[in-house]
Amino acid sequence: IKTAVFISGTGSNLKNLIKFSKIKNSPISIDLIISNTSKAKGLSFANQFSIKKYVSSFKNHKTAETKILNLLKKENIKFICLAGFMRILSRSFIKKFRGKIINIHPSLLPKYKGLDTHIKAIQNKDKLAGCTVHLVTTKLDSGKIILQKVVKISKKDTSTSLAKKVLKQEHKLYPAAIKKIFN
Ligand code: GRF
């Protein structure tokens, strides 16, 4: 299944998905990387693994999405993984890929939608944190949950150390969720 990954930053999940796409019997191939900023470190994986990339600032959201939709069509992309993508896709975009866009979120949804999930978990003295892979719908971080992984918060944890711990689990969870969808 030809897949596009949308990123905005480091791209550790992207790198991990590329690795996953290359193992035997992987259901996906990564054929396109989209970023909303040329500063995204993760774009370097496009060069490293010879994957097509496209950058759009999304200054004009509608124009950006039209361009991306054309590109997805041209490249015959059938599945989209959001991985740290910091733009909200429009209702019409999501409808065109209904059920075919998934996202990874660093919390145990429905808890802590949106930003700063680790800060909120620490401030609220939660004992458990985690990550979720879910279907992308028109409501932010609210689509059907595919898989979740729980991470214990220790007394010593800061939002930074927690983010690290959760990210490690994200790298296991995202491929597992994709396997669950396609196998
Ligand atoms: C991850 O924690 C992801 O859950 C969140 O943004 C972060 C992206 O990290 N949405 P990376 O760019 O994949 O390293």
Side-chain angles (χ1 to χ4, degrees), residues 7-15 42 45 82-86 103-107 114-115 117-118 130-132 141 163 166-167 170-171 174:
I7 61 164
S8 299
T10 317
S12 70
N13 277 292
L14 164 65
K15 188 184 179 195
F45 300 122
L82 307 183
F85 184 60
M86 299 299 281
N103 179 42
I104 188 150
H105 184 77
S107 81
L115 297 175
T117 55
H118 303 305
C131 43
T132 305
D141 298 331
V166 172
L167 193 61
E170 289 182 36
H171 296 162
Y174 220 161

Side-chain angles (χ1 to χ4, degrees), residues 58-75:
F58 276 75
K59 260 190 195 140
N60 184 324
H61 207 100
K62 208 164 175 219
T63 317
E65 285 193 349
T66 306
K67 191 91 202 257
I68 291 167
L69 280 168
N70 286 334
L71 202 55
L72 294 171
K73 203 168 173 189
K74 189 173 155 228
E75 298 299 329

Side-chain angles (χ1 to χ4, degrees), residues 99 101-103 109 132-137 139 141-148 180-181:
I101 312 177
I102 62 173
N103 179 42
L109 289 172
T132 305
V133 174
H134 66 93
L135 272 184
V136 173
T137 59
K139 256 179 114 191
D141 298 331
S142 299
K144 185 178 165 242
I145 290 170
I146 299 157
L147 270 187
Q148 283 186 316
K180 189 178 171 192
I181 294 171

Side-chain angles (χ1 to χ4, degrees), residues 1-2 12 23 25 27 33 39-40 45 53-55 71 83 93 95 99 101 103 114 118 120 129 151 157 165 183:
I1 295 139
K2 285 178 142 275
S12 70
I23 66 171
N25 297 330
I33 297 165
K39 293 201 179 93
F45 300 122
K53 66 177 174 194
Y54 178 71
V55 180
L71 202 55
F93 187 102
K95 274 190 177 165
I101 312 177
N103 179 42
H118 303 305
K120 288 173 191 160
V151 172
D157 267 324
K165 275 207 262 190
N183 292 344

Side-chain angles (χ1 to χ4, degrees), residues 78-81 94 96-102 135-136:
K78 301 289 184 215
F79 191 62
I80 296 173
C81 295
I94 292 168
K96 290 198 176 84
F97 269 82
R98 198 198 291 271
K100 305 278 181 244
I101 312 177
I102 62 173
L135 272 184
V136 173

Side-chain angles (χ1 to χ4, degrees), residues 114-130:
L115 297 175
D116 299 327
T117 55
H118 303 305
I119 295 173
K120 288 173 191 160
I122 298 279
Q123 275 174 353
N124 290 338
K125 300 194 170 23
D126 289 355
K127 294 211 163 55
L128 298 176

Side-chain angles (χ1 to χ4, degrees), residues 30-47:
I30 312 272
D31 298 288
L32 185 62
I33 297 165
I34 305 275
S35 173
N36 66 300
T37 165
S38 57
K39 293 201 179 93
K41 279 196 191 145
L43 281 172
S44 66
F45 300 122
N47 306 334

